[in-house]
Amino acid sequence: MKKLRINSGEWLFGLSGRVTFLISAILILFVCFVDKFHGGKAWIPSYTQHILVTCLLSALLALGLNFISGYLGQTSLGHAAFYGIGAYTTAVLLTYTGLNFWLSIFVGMLMSMLLAIPLAAASLRVKGQFLVVITYAFCEIFRYIAINVPVLGGTGGMAGLKAPEVFGVRITKLAATNKGGYMILLFLLVSVAAFFSWRVQRSRVGYAFAAIREDEIAAEAMGINVKYYKTLAMVISAAICSIAGSIQAAFATMVSPELFSSTKSIQIFSMVVIGGRMSIKGMILGGSLMTILPEVFHSVKDMAGLSFDPWNILYGLLLVVMMRVRPQGIWGRKEKDEG
Amino acid sequence: MLLETHKVTKAFGGLKANSEIDFHIDEGEIVAIIGPNGSGKTTFYNVITGISSATSGQVVFKGKDITHMHPEKITELGMARTFQNIRLFGNLTVAENIVIARHCRRHTGIWDAVVNSKRQRDEIATNEEFVKKCLDYVGIYDKKDWIAKNLPYGMQRRLEIARVLATEPSLILLDEPAAGMNPHEKDELVEIILRLKSDNYSIILIEHAMRMVMNIAERVVVFDHGQKIAEGKPEEVKNDPVVIESYLGKGASGNGTA
Ligand SMILES: Nc1ncnc2c1ncn2[C@@H]1O[C@H](COP(=O)(O)OP(=O)(O)OP(=O)(O)O)[C@@H](O)[C@H]1O
Ligand SMILES: [Mg+2]
């Protein structure tokens, strides 16, 4: 299958996946540990590390949504639901049962995967704006549950979650700062999700997704069970976003109904669109870009003493311009003309 | 008997697009369905391939009742079709279109993909074999890396046939495969259809152009207003007054295309 097009240009600068992984791993380890080996002022401030962690979380979310909005080509403005479900499951389990954090990730995934099935069923026969409404409503339901169920802490959410341990060492103590451990953990998770996506997209399952994206009727006629594969994509997507939620809960040591906000859902969707649907590196870079840009403009606002945040305007503008000029996203593959 | 329908009716509201159609095709046979625009030919295909299910009546394929079976299961059983208004996976390559059609004959799942199992590697090898075999069959192997929608029209129609072959069907349904083709392309198409016949595929062919039907079909079934109004050898049908009145009478030359 080497000659088939989907395969090429997936990793940075034409490097192989393995080399990309190694280089990024070295960079991450460097960022995590440099400040341990010299006495002076920290090279990598805690603020920068915080942003890096957020970039990785975003990348994970984008990789998750990519299964729906990339491979299946369907719009979802409700994926914050799975992010929130993962986070709340972890929070509830840590607070009320004292269950191990790592196990709570799996329980969260299971919850998200189960809840993805009715969402997939509801979305089966609809398209376009109806799908947007359904996914949006799905997420809203969970926001109301989070706000109104007392054990979930209401609008204030749940705070004071303990940091997880890795072989008896708190994750916050692993590296030079309390964020290093999360960075390494998330880096590994993003790598696994990227590897997973890459293997799946060129497989029989990935081609089934592609067929459904292109033409559902023809896909059925070619022997593809459209319902099954749409549900499968939703379940995978939910599981990945749920993992991001669980980590976020531990990292922030708290959860709040804001996790389920439509702003979050839209943000995840725009990361996929701007990064470039179906492109794995697009997800990672798109997620990072949509995390870093707001921060940059926020500091512009502070420095210039503006009374408004320029990002709010640019964000909308960026989406509009992208849709007009480069609908396939920055790193998305063009539908090239070989003819 | 490969495929048999008993009193198949398909109603859209008050309109009976198919009305009590009895139809059958034997192994190795080529049967043509002709009839004026809107007479229910495509609807009949949709019903027997499971894309839309019959309002009443029964469809039996290889001895199995498939009236309410899902389309993907019917494809797996060995029936595959082309579409009147070409439905390729347009943004994918020609080769990828074939690979997708292999879906119903393979069983690898996510796990095989992730660990790159032996099954997965076997699949990739046979896929490549089928890409070669099926595209060669219709003579477009040299275009395998093209994006499907960039192919010239006639080749898109041929790719649809190649894609059908990749599902390893025993019954092939062609829906106006010559529509929009120039005479030269039509000749090539006839050649492909005759080759399919000699390779022992069973074929149902919907076609407006009488002339082409007369050349290749062994039996012709005529639809009008959702009903089967005539059936027989091409020459018989051609001279059947009922057919002449309802079909040729309206279509004038009988050369019309959709
Ligand atoms: N999904 C549908 N809903 C409502 N009416 C339909 C539907 N599909 C087909 N019809 C109607 O059923 C009748 C038969 O249509 P069909 O497409 O089967 O005709 P056809 O014989 O294939 O015609 P053509 O030669 O133009 O392809 C037409 O009157 C058409 O308008
Ligand atoms: Mg038709």
Side-chain angles (χ1 to χ4, degrees):
Chain A
M1 205 89 1
K2 236 174 274 129
K3 282 146 270 159
L4 294 190
R5 180 189 44 133
I6 271 183
N7 206 347
S8 57
E10 200 42 85
W11 311 106
L12 278 187
F13 312 119
L15 296 171
S16 74
R18 213 166 293 177
V19 175
T20 312
F21 172 79
L22 281 176
I23 293 176
S24 336
I26 291 167
L27 284 175
I28 290 280
L29 288 175
F30 177 79
V31 169
C32 289
F33 290 103
V34 264
D35 290 328
K36 235 181 180 154
F37 300 109
H38 66 89
K41 192 167 163 294
W43 290 3
I44 320 270
S46 173
Y47 170 69
T48 311
Q49 300 216 354
H50 187 95
I51 292 177
L52 282 172
V53 168
T54 315
C55 284
L56 288 164
L57 271 169
S58 301
L60 197 55
L61 286 168
L63 282 165
L65 181 58
N66 191 33
F67 276 86
I68 290 294
S69 296
Y71 300 143
L72 276 194
Q74 295 184 330
T75 305
S76 165
L77 292 187
H79 262 59
F82 303 116
Y83 181 58
I85 292 166
Y88 266 90
T89 307
T90 290
V92 166
L93 290 174
L94 291 191
T95 310
Y96 296 114
T97 71
L99 188 82
N100 181 303
F101 168 77
W102 308 105
L103 286 177
S104 84
I105 296 180
F106 286 101
V107 179
M109 280 168 79
L110 212 64
M111 292 278 287
S112 295
M113 288 159 90
L114 283 175
L115 289 162
I117 295 172
L119 176 62
S123 323
L124 275 179
R125 296 251 161 253
V126 296
K127 282 210 170 73
Q129 67 268 49
F130 298 107
L131 193 63
V132 170
V133 172
I134 286 181
T135 51
Y136 169 79
F138 177 78
C139 189
E140 281 298 289
I141 293 171
F142 290 100
R143 199 164 70 90
Y144 283 111
I145 293 176
I147 290 172
N148 290 312
V149 175
V151 289
L152 299 180
T155 41
M158 306 166 70
L161 306 177
K162 277 208 288 288
E165 290 180 354
V166 189
F167 301 117
V169 183
R170 283 226 175 281
I171 194 166
T172 44
K173 300 270 186 292
L174 270 184
T177 71
N178 59 357
K179 312 219 164 50
Y182 286 105
M183 223 185 300
I184 295 168
L185 170 62
L186 280 164
F187 171 72
L188 291 176
L189 288 169
V190 168
S191 306
V192 170
F195 177 76
F196 177 77
S197 306
W198 177 65
R199 277 280 167 91
V200 168
Q201 76 176 7
R202 315 175 304 145
S203 73
R204 175 167 170 271
V205 175
Y207 280 119
F209 292 157
I212 294 169
R213 175 179 78 235
E214 287 289 321
D215 188 329
E216 274 181 40
I217 302 267
E220 274 186 332
M222 291 299 113
I224 290 164
N225 186 336
V226 173
K227 272 186 205 165
Y228 172 80
Y229 283 101
K230 277 188 170 177
T231 309
L232 181 66
M234 190 63 91
V235 167
I236 294 174
S237 174
I240 297 175
C241 291
S242 177
I243 299 174
S246 292
I247 311 278
Q248 162 67 27
F251 179 62
T253 73
M254 62 157 305
V255 294
S256 79
E258 283 311 294
L259 291 166
F260 292 107
S261 69
S262 53
T263 320
K264 188 71 199 176
S265 291
I266 293 168
Q267 190 202 11
I268 304 172
F269 184 68
S270 55
M271 295 183 305
V272 174
V273 170
I274 287 181
R277 295 159 186 262
M278 291 178 270
S279 157
I280 292 168
K281 77 179 172 201
M283 293 309 107
I284 297 169
L285 299 176
S288 307
L289 198 67
M290 297 305 282
T291 308
I292 293 168
L293 282 181
E295 295 296 334
V296 169
F297 283 101
H298 202 73
S299 52
V300 166
K301 175 197 165 196
D302 289 346
M303 277 191 293
L306 296 175
S307 60
F308 62 92
D309 192 336
W311 173 243
N312 289 335
I313 298 164
L314 276 164
Y315 178 48
L317 206 62
L318 183 64
L319 278 177
V320 172
V321 170
M322 282 297 298
M323 289 301 189
R324 297 292 307 171
V325 180
R326 216 180 145 78
Q328 77 272 29
I330 300 179
W331 291 279
R333 91 180 103 92
K334 265 205 300 269
E335 310 298 7
K336 60 182 172 183
D337 291 63
E338 283 179 85
Chain B
M1 201 74 66
L2 186 61
L3 175 86
E4 238 178 323
T5 71
H6 303 291
K7 294 196 182 317
V8 161
T9 299
K10 176 74 194 178
F12 296 109
L15 174 83
K16 280 192 176 160
N18 283 161
S19 176
E20 308 212 329
I21 297 201
D22 287 320
F23 177 92
H24 68 94
I25 177 168
D26 281 322
E27 216 120 354
E29 211 182 357
I30 298 193
V31 178
I33 299 179
I34 62 170
N37 287 113
S39 57
K41 306 178 298 288
T42 300
T43 303
F44 187 62
Y45 270 14
N46 288 344
V47 168
I48 56 187
T49 55
I51 284 178
S52 64
S53 68
T55 314
S56 65
Q58 197 190 22
V59 186
V60 179
F61 181 51
K62 293 185 177 170
K64 280 205 179 80
D65 184 342
I66 60 162
T67 320
H68 300 290
M69 208 181 254
H70 286 292
E72 70 272 5
K73 287 274 173 280
I74 295 176
T75 308
E76 225 176 287
L77 268 182
M79 189 194 301
R81 69 175 291 181
T82 65
F83 293 89
Q84 180 172 359
N85 46 345
I86 305 178
R87 281 178 173 268
L88 290 169
F89 304 115
N91 293 308
L92 305 181
T93 65
V94 169
E96 282 169 333
N97 270 268
I98 304 293
V99 169
I100 289 171
R102 293 297 301 150
H103 187 93
C104 62
R105 297 286 165 242
R106 308 294 312 179
H107 305 283
T108 56
I110 297 240
W111 184 247
D112 295 286
V114 170
V115 303
N116 195 16
S117 67
K118 169 136 183 358
R119 250 191 342 172
Q120 171 85 9
R121 282 172 279 135
D122 284 352
E123 177 175 318
I124 289 173
T126 47
N127 280 351
E128 242 165 306
E129 233 169 72
F130 267 86
V131 167
K132 173 112 177 66
K133 196 165 91 185
C134 300
L135 292 178
D136 266 342
Y137 203 101
V138 299
I140 56 172
Y141 183 67
D142 56 324
K143 302 283 187 294
K144 75 180 169 64
D145 292 322
W146 280 43
I147 300 297
K149 68 177 178 196
N150 295 338
L151 287 177
Y153 195 77
M155 286 192 191
Q156 293 195 15
R157 289 233 176 255
R158 282 198 260 167
L159 174 56
E160 269 212 332
I161 296 177
R163 197 173 63 168
V164 160
L165 290 177
T167 68
E168 299 180 64
S170 29
L171 175 61
I172 299 176
L173 315 184
L174 303 172
D175 196 345
E176 298 195 24
M181 283 187 170
N182 62 36
H184 175 66
E185 287 173 327
K186 275 186 192 169
D187 289 344
E188 287 178 338
L189 178 72
V190 169
E191 217 172 275
I192 291 172
I193 297 177
L194 290 175
R195 185 139 32 100
L196 287 172
K197 155 122 185 101
S198 67
D199 286 343
N200 220 20
Y201 288 100
S202 315
I203 300 166
I204 308 179
L205 170 71
I206 291 179
E207 190 48 67
H208 265 286
M210 269 289 213
R211 221 181 25 196
M212 181 166 154
V213 169
M214 296 304 150
N215 287 338
I216 45 187
E218 296 161 341
R219 186 153 56 87
V220 179
V221 172
V222 189
F223 280 21
D224 191 18
H225 290 103
Q227 282 168 328
K228 187 173 93 174
I229 57 161
E231 173 170 12
K233 294 226 157 35
E235 318 81 63
E236 293 166 16
V237 167
K238 200 161 69 173
N239 300 320
D240 185 330
V242 182
V243 178
I244 293 170
E245 194 202 314
S246 89
Y247 179 69
L248 295 178
K250 284 177 226 159
S253 72
N255 261 338
T257 48

